[in-house]
Structure formats: structure tokens, C-alpha cells
Amino acid sequence: MSSTFASALARTVRARRLEEHLTQTDLADLAGVSERFIRSVEHGKPTLRLDSVEAVLKALGLNLAVTGRANISVPAEAEHDGNE
């Protein structure tokens, strides 16, 4: 995860958790992760398990989306999944 993404994720998760009046322990229980993991997310740790991040977001009613950026080219070999 880039530090920009990790920071944005941290701010979003913490803000939503507080909006929902949840403690870190409450959110950990809802998401099926440890309280330590919630602290890691909220502190912007750049290396987190994606499945666990998805569980936290789901517990908060949030989704993770991948969107395109301008001026990014995809290498030709990445355009095909090899199943053709």
C-alpha cells in the first residue's frame, strides 16, 4: 500500500468508526480481526492483509474500489489474462 493510500484509509476508517460510536474493540469484534489490527489500520500501517482490510470496511458499511488514473499505460502482456 502506498503511504498516501494507507493514510487515507486510516482517516476514513477512524472517522467512520467514531461516527458509528464504536470502540476499536467493538470494530475488531464486528470484523473478526484483532484490536491490534484495527490500531494498525488507523495508524496507517502500509502493509496490511487485504482480506482483513476488506472485513473491516465491510463491518463499517464501506467498500474498497479500484479506479483508473490518467496517463497510466498498461503493458501489452498485462492486457490479456492468458486464457485466450
Side-chain angles (χ1 to χ4, degrees), residues 8-76:
L9 179 66
R11 287 189 306 274
T12 301
V13 167
R14 180 174 169 75
R16 184 59 170 255
R17 178 178 63 79
L18 294 174
E19 285 173 10
E20 297 294 326
H21 305 287
L22 297 170
T23 65
Q24 289 179 335
T25 302
D26 294 336
L27 179 54
D29 290 343
L30 286 170
V33 299
S34 69
E35 185 178 347
R36 180 179 178 196
F37 183 81
I38 299 299
R39 284 193 306 271
S40 294
V41 171
E42 290 189 3
H43 283 100
K45 182 179 177 186
T47 55
L48 297 168
R49 287 183 50 123
L50 186 56
D51 60 336
S52 296
V53 170
E54 288 177 317
V56 170
L57 295 176
K58 182 178 178 182
L60 292 170
L62 299 170
N63 293 310
L64 180 62
V66 177
T67 60
R69 289 184 270 167
N71 300 324
I72 293 184
S73 61
V74 177

